[in-house]
Amino acid sequence: MRNSKIKSVIKALVAFSGICVTLVCIWKGLRYALSDEYTFYKGYARVMMHELYEQESIDTLFCGASLCYRDFDTGLLEKELGGNCFNAGSTIQGVPVSYYLLKDIYNRIKVGHVYLELGPVVEIRYDYRTDQDIVWGMYFIADYMKWGLPKLEMLLGETSPEYYATSFLVARRYWQKAFYFDYVKRNIQAKGTKVYREYGYDLLRSEDEWYVGKGYVANGVVASLDMLNDINAAIEYKVNEGWKSYVDKIINLCKENGVEITLVTTPVSGYVLSRWSGWYDGYHDMVKEIARKNNVDYWDFTLVKDGYFKPEAGLFSDSTHLNMYGARQFSTLFARVVRGELAYDDICCRSATEKLNGSR
Amino acid sequence: MLVKLLAFIASSYIACLLVPKRMRWVVLLVASFVFYALAGIKALLTMFLFSGISFAFGIAIEDSAVGSKRRRTLLVAVVLLVVAWILAIKLCVASGYRNLIIAIPLGASYVSFSIISYLADIYWERDKADRNFLKHLLYILFFPKITEGPINKHKTLAQSLYEGQDLTYRNFCFGSQRMLYGIFKKLVIAERLSMITDGILSDLAGYSGCMIAAATVFAAIELYCDFSGYMDIVLGFTETLGIKMDENFRRPFFSRSTSEFWRRWHITLGTWFKDYVYTPLVMSGIVKKMGKWCRKKIGKEFGNGLMKAVALSAVWLLTGMWHGTGASYIAWGCWCGTIIILSTFLEGFYKKALAFLHINTKAPSWKLFQMFRTSAVFCFGIMLTRLPDLHHVGIAIRKFVREPGLSQLFSKDLFRFGVSVKDFILMLLFLLGVLCVSIMQERRSVREFIASMNAPVRWVIYAAGISIVVFFGIYGPGHTMKDFVYAQF
């Protein structure tokens, strides 16, 4: 009787393992066929995360959303600052994602200083757990994070249960593409190439942007006046308490791991700042208070004086993102501030009002 | 609701694994309590009260002398009480006065069936009364069956429920397979079809008669997949525990007559009405006297037919009213009852007509025709209940006659509801799969067939089944999953 029970248990375990292995094969195969990870937006995150995990130590690490990975030219910054610089920014990377990413990084890599980009475009608008854009933005990082507690906590804690299937099973997001055989064929062909397998950069090019390396994406577009004044600027400011708590958590995480942290925002076009003028000072003061409370620096380069960085059309690819020329100029300025050649208080205004009045 | 149900099922099974066999009924009782309590404490207390009434009256009836007036009075009193309670709930809900009812217990309809059948069986000495209130509570509140049935008789369910069964590997495998099949029918087929049927049947003005007819057929298939899918989940779960519950579906679309259809669709409801309404009615003194008088006046055949018709009319009126008190449901009950009664009366004439026309009733083509005809009758019934009211049914029928608009069926209008052309074709393929499984089930057990295969082949089948459900199921962000349809009754 006891023997037959033990046999049943072993039988069940073997069957369970067999089914699990088969499921893993099926889902990996589906992901391979259906996920367009070779295209620019998904592809650069894949390559960036692969490069990130290859680092043994990082002296200067940048974290944040698209303003981060477009505005900080890591190649130039390495030359200016020395040491190893890495840009772990990604599309629509909210502070919860930055938090769990840093948590995972600190378990594996030695980091010297983190610059957390906190531009208001992403930070303050969303209900993180249910907003589809934010959740999809999380996937850029989550799909390539190594398995561990930070990844599990993020996927389970930062999405509502209706997203669990798409969070854990990448292929599920593309189920409707299963019927498009040309699409599937292109995926399989692209993923079979040496460039893809070896995390090369050749596939990571769109019409206007290309992946340079170490997380930096260069954009060659020079924005027209219309582009500078586009709908992207029309944000409604609303304080998100959850966001504030995550910034506190990130700062505490850095302190616990002996990592220095500075909160930063990058320059935006003058047109955008004038559209934000009704609320931007409130946002600035809120972040400044968080920084003061936690005894860290806050460098708001949105308020940089024109004499040090004039936000002209030629430096932007759209209303908020710097193009490669703007990134070069800004990164040079940034490096001078880091090196102590320039004091933040000297080169930046204290408020948007002051900046806008100064520029008139 | 599906997620909640599956969570309960999983945690109940794990809890049952951890306790000895004789204590499993306690685990199931606690799970049922919690399941019910989540629907509301007031509802739970109401159900507690009615379970207490059922328990007390069961003992009182059993202890009364057989054939005594007291025994009969006790049964009639509690049946009237339960019927009044259900009627009050349905009328208040239908008329919008929900506030008048203290609590609308989850599964009130199914519980009332359980209580009436339990007490009636004790009255007729077909069953013994429970002497343990907690076990009786488990029979009433058992969470897998409470929202949509099946309606199990106490005498068939009690022993395996109370005494516990061995948790065998085979039961686990077979039960899990069945549950997966049920989830597949619900998530992959029923949810997909609901996107189309809701879109067309909520706005008849924009669609031709053929589109409405197609939507009605889809609604029938959707209802089948939703309801039978739930049954597969529930019966699969109880199978994992070694508890045998009555089947509720047996490939109803293979039926060749409406009578047969209702012996294959919602089987336990039909059995309940047959055992506790039809048979007692036919065997009652009044109906027997009427029958004798009819046979004398209009002949034996018509006389017997008329008595059956009276009993069937009562059954179908009640069945319609059980589904809902609106005119649509009563019309539906009348429709089903009329078809069955006419079939009964015209059976002789029908046989003569077939013989006269030299129709080979054993030919596959004839059997296929009968299945389509029976399904068409059922689909018309679906239209009666699926459209908002009888006025809309009139609109639909007029459209079918005056503006059939067959071409609209082949236009892109069918794919405006979130289901693309390729998705629709995929769904048809899955339906073909369900058809193949159903044909196989008429001949042999599909699960036994799978069990006869080698282990790696079985693993691939299970993994493929799970993957199809997870990959192609309609759920997640941007989609609100519909509750199981029969839970509303």
Side-chain angles (χ1 to χ4, degrees):
Chain A
M1 179 79 156
R2 198 164 168 232
N3 278 344
S4 70
K5 266 197 176 170
I6 293 171
K7 270 188 187 167
S8 286
V9 171
I10 293 172
K11 208 171 155 186
L13 285 171
V14 169
F16 180 72
S17 308
I19 294 167
C20 285
V21 166
T22 315
L23 276 170
V24 168
C25 292
I26 289 173
W27 283 89
K28 277 196 176 300
L30 284 171
R31 179 174 177 171
Y32 189 83
L34 297 175
S35 166
D36 54 349
E37 289 165 301
Y38 70 94
T39 57
F40 175 69
Y41 278 106
K42 286 287 285 184
Y44 96 82
R46 173 179 171 266
V47 171
M48 182 273 282
M49 290 296 287
H50 172 78
E51 288 181 347
L52 176 66
Y53 283 122
E54 283 193 322
Q55 310 301 310
E56 285 179 10
S57 68
I58 300 172
D59 299 293
T60 310
L61 177 67
F62 298 93
C63 243
S66 54
L67 291 173
C68 177
Y69 72 74
R70 288 197 179 108
D71 293 0
F72 291 102
D73 182 341
T74 38
L76 189 149
L77 284 162
E78 268 187 357
K79 287 187 191 130
E80 296 284 337
L81 299 175
N84 185 15
C85 289
F86 200 95
N87 192 327
S90 63
T91 304
I92 321 179
Q93 185 183 121
V95 283
V97 178
S98 301
Y99 171 73
Y100 288 105
L101 178 61
L102 287 171
K103 206 172 177 188
D104 190 48
I105 289 171
Y106 294 159
N107 286 340
R108 303 171 195 274
I109 304 168
K110 193 167 172 351
V111 177
H113 197 129
V114 164
Y115 292 93
L116 181 66
E117 182 270 315
L118 292 176
V121 178
V122 170
E123 302 312 339
I124 60 173
R125 286 197 297 169
Y126 302 97
D127 178 357
Y128 291 117
R129 295 180 82 244
T130 58
D131 188 296
Q132 189 156 315
D133 284 342
I134 286 284
V135 174
W136 248 245
M138 180 192 299
Y139 292 156
F140 279 109
I141 295 294
D143 287 353
Y144 308 106
M145 263 174 86
K146 288 190 176 177
W147 279 104
L149 216 48
K151 181 170 174 171
L152 262 177
E153 282 177 332
M154 184 169 72
L155 290 177
L156 290 173
E158 295 310 317
T159 60
S160 54
E162 61 183 347
Y163 283 100
Y164 285 171
T166 48
S167 293
F168 288 94
L169 301 168
V170 175
R172 162 75 187 169
R173 296 174 218 158
Y174 300 93
W175 73 266
Q176 286 179 317
K177 300 251 174 122
F179 311 122
Y180 295 92
F181 302 119
D182 286 341
Y183 168 86
V184 172
K185 191 175 158 190
R186 270 200 311 274
N187 281 342
I188 293 173
Q189 281 174 342
K191 288 177 182 178
T193 60
K194 195 176 173 196
V195 167
Y196 179 84
R197 284 197 314 270
E198 293 178 356
Y199 297 91
Y201 297 174
D202 292 354
L203 293 172
L204 305 180
R205 289 186 155 268
S206 70
E207 209 175 289
D208 308 316
E209 300 182 290
W210 58 96
Y211 184 70
V212 175
K214 287 203 150 177
Y216 171 57
V217 171
N219 189 303
V221 169
V222 175
S224 63
L225 286 178
D226 284 340
M227 286 163 75
L228 288 182
N229 205 18
D230 77 4
I231 199 166
N232 199 26
I235 296 170
E236 273 183 51
Y237 171 58
K238 195 175 75 175
V239 175
N240 185 332
E241 292 300 326
W243 177 85
K244 282 163 76 174
S245 74
Y246 263 105
V247 176
D248 285 331
K249 276 167 94 166
I250 290 172
I251 294 170
N252 289 332
L253 177 70
C254 291
K255 286 180 177 173
E256 282 162 19
N257 286 273
V259 177
E260 288 180 58
I261 178 168
T262 303
L263 310 180
V264 297
T265 37
T266 56
V268 296
S269 73
Y271 296 99
V272 167
L273 190 59
S274 64
R275 294 277 287 274
W276 291 356
S277 61
W279 55 265
Y280 191 81
D281 284 336
Y283 174 76
H284 171 87
D285 290 340
M286 177 188 64
V287 182
K288 196 168 152 187
E289 179 54 29
I290 293 172
R292 186 202 63 75
K293 194 180 70 183
N294 289 287
N295 199 27
V296 298
D297 287 330
Y298 173 40
W299 295 345
D300 188 352
F301 288 97
T302 304
L303 305 180
V304 66
K305 292 175 181 168
D306 284 0
Y308 295 94
F309 184 93
K310 194 164 180 194
E312 296 165 325
L315 301 178
F316 287 88
S317 61
D318 58 38
S319 56
T320 50
H321 298 92
L322 295 171
N323 58 22
M324 55 191 268
Y325 312 107
R328 210 173 281 160
Q329 210 178 97
F330 169 65
S331 299
T332 308
L333 173 71
F334 182 82
R336 292 180 71 191
V337 176
V338 171
R339 287 198 302 263
E341 288 170 27
L342 295 170
Y344 167 77
D345 289 331
D346 292 340
I347 69 167
C348 288
C349 302
R350 283 166 299 181
S351 67
T353 313
E354 186 186 322
K355 178 173 165 73
L356 288 166
N357 286 340
S359 61
R360 285 198 190 110
Chain B
M1 193 186 151
L2 175 63
V3 174
K4 183 174 143 189
L5 178 67
L6 292 176
F8 258 87
I9 281 170
S11 42
S12 300
Y13 187 80
I14 292 168
C16 284
L17 273 175
L18 300 172
V19 301
K21 191 163 79 172
R22 67 179 188 284
M23 296 305 293
R24 281 181 194 144
W25 72 272
V26 178
V27 169
L28 294 174
L29 177 65
V30 169
S32 301
F33 245 69
V34 174
F35 188 89
Y36 216 88
L38 290 174
I41 294 296
K42 282 185 190 170
L44 178 64
L45 290 173
T46 308
M47 215 43 98
F48 210 80
L49 173 67
F50 273 86
S51 303
I53 291 171
S54 164
F55 177 73
F57 272 78
I59 292 173
I61 291 171
E62 189 173 64
D63 291 346
S64 307
V66 176
S68 67
K69 195 178 173 186
R70 177 185 141 87
R71 192 180 175 97
R72 198 163 42 247
T73 308
L74 283 168
L75 178 69
V76 168
V78 76
V79 166
L80 284 175
L81 176 67
V82 171
V83 168
W85 172 55
I86 287 300
L87 212 55
I89 291 174
K90 285 198 181 279
L91 285 169
C92 285
V93 168
S95 54
Y97 293 109
R98 292 180 81 99
N99 294 336
L100 287 180
I101 314 163
I102 297 167
I104 301 175
L106 183 70
S109 297
Y110 295 97
V111 164
S112 62
F113 282 136
S114 299
I115 292 175
I116 293 173
S117 75
Y118 168 69
L119 295 172
D121 282 346
I122 293 171
Y123 176 82
W124 286 319
E125 295 181 277
R126 293 176 191 165
D127 194 11
K128 295 259 174 242
D130 280 331
R131 298 282 167 167
N132 180 324
F133 176 62
L134 290 178
K135 285 185 175 176
H136 185 70
L137 202 56
L138 174 61
Y139 163 67
I140 300 289
L141 289 185
F142 188 38
F143 76 87
K145 70 172 180 64
I146 197 122
T147 50
E148 292 196 24
I151 304 162
N152 282 266
K153 290 184 185 174
H154 176 266
K155 61 183 177 186
T156 52
L157 183 59
Q159 191 183 8
S160 59
L161 192 60
Y162 300 161
E163 290 174 11
Q165 307 295 314
D166 289 324
L167 300 181
T168 64
Y169 178 70
R170 182 193 152 92
N171 280 351
F172 178 78
C173 284
F174 275 43
S176 303
Q177 286 170 44
R178 188 165 184 178
M179 284 172 57
L180 182 63
Y181 188 51
I183 298 168
F184 163 78
K185 283 196 277 188
K186 169 64 176 169
L187 286 188
V188 177
I189 300 178
E191 286 294 316
R192 243 179 201 83
L193 281 171
S194 75
M195 290 157 77
I196 299 173
T197 57
D198 286 349
I200 296 175
L201 297 177
S202 62
D203 177 25
L204 300 181
Y207 303 101
S208 67
C210 282
M211 282 285 275
I212 294 169
T216 307
V217 172
F218 293 150
I221 299 171
E222 177 200 339
L223 181 61
Y224 170 69
C225 289
D226 183 290
F227 197 7
S228 69
Y230 182 89
M231 285 301 113
D232 286 330
I233 294 169
V234 156
L235 293 173
F237 167 59
T238 54
E239 190 170 355
T240 61
L241 296 174
I243 297 170
K244 191 89 179 71
M245 294 218 294
D246 294 332
E247 288 293 337
N248 227 5
F249 286 89
R250 195 165 53 87
R251 279 82 56 201
F253 292 107
F254 290 171
S255 307
R256 289 153 59 190
S257 69
T258 306
S259 305
E260 187 186 354
F261 188 92
W262 290 101
R263 289 194 298 275
R264 287 176 176 251
W265 175 286
H266 209 169
I267 298 168
T268 56
L269 181 74
T271 308
W272 192 94
F273 272 103
K274 188 184 88 166
D275 290 347
Y276 302 106
V277 178
Y278 179 82
T279 305
L281 212 51
V282 160
M283 301 301 288
S284 68
I286 297 175
V287 172
K288 272 185 176 171
K289 277 186 190 157
M290 274 176 65
K292 204 171 168 184
W293 182 86
C294 287
R295 279 194 293 277
K296 205 171 156 186
K297 295 289 177 189
I298 56 175
K300 189 179 175 190
E301 202 178 311
F302 274 111
N304 285 338
L306 193 62
M307 289 305 100
K308 278 187 192 170
V310 165
L312 282 170
S313 301
V315 164
W316 281 102
L317 193 63
L318 287 171
T319 308
M321 286 172 67
W322 176 80
H323 282 85
T325 49
S328 298
Y329 289 104
I330 297 185
W332 171 81
C334 292
W335 165 252
C336 296
T338 304
I339 296 290
I340 292 173
I341 291 166
L342 281 175
S343 310
T344 309
F345 270 113
L346 297 175
E347 194 179 343
F349 168 76
Y350 194 54
K351 278 183 180 161
K352 286 177 188 165
L354 288 174
F356 177 76
L357 293 168
H358 298 288
I359 288 175
N360 179 6
T361 56
K362 289 190 170 56
S365 56
W366 177 249
K367 290 178 185 175
L368 213 56
F369 164 72
Q370 286 180 304
M371 290 179 200
F372 275 115
R373 180 194 62 193
T374 307
S375 299
V377 166
F378 176 70
C379 287
F380 183 79
I382 287 292
M383 191 167 67
L384 290 172
T385 54
R386 189 63 190 261
L387 292 175
D389 50 42
L390 294 176
H391 170 67
H392 282 83
V393 173
I395 294 172
I397 295 170
R398 272 198 296 279
K399 280 207 166 219
F400 195 68
V401 172
R402 291 183 193 165
E403 332 163 11
L406 186 63
S407 58
Q408 194 183 24
L409 211 50
F410 301 101
S411 70
K412 287 185 181 164
D413 285 348
L414 203 56
F415 310 112
R416 287 199 287 141
F417 309 105
V419 179
S420 66
V421 176
K422 293 184 180 182
D423 203 2
F424 186 78
I425 293 169
L426 182 75
M427 185 190 62
L428 290 179
L429 287 171
F430 285 136
L431 272 173
L432 193 62
V434 171
L435 178 64
C436 293
V437 167
S438 301
I439 291 170
M440 212 171 153
Q441 282 172 331
E442 287 282 294
R443 289 167 171 68
R444 62 177 296 184
S445 164
V446 175
R447 289 177 289 170
E448 294 280 2
F449 174 65
I450 294 172
S452 66
M453 297 176 181
N454 287 322
V457 176
R458 291 202 306 273
W459 299 342
V460 169
I461 292 173
Y462 302 151
I466 293 168
S467 298
I468 286 171
V469 170
V470 175
F471 193 72
F472 290 114
I474 301 293
Y475 61 92
H479 179 79
T480 308
M481 204 189 305
K482 283 172 91 164
D483 276 342
F484 288 100
V485 172
Y486 260 71
Q488 65 180 305
F489 302 122

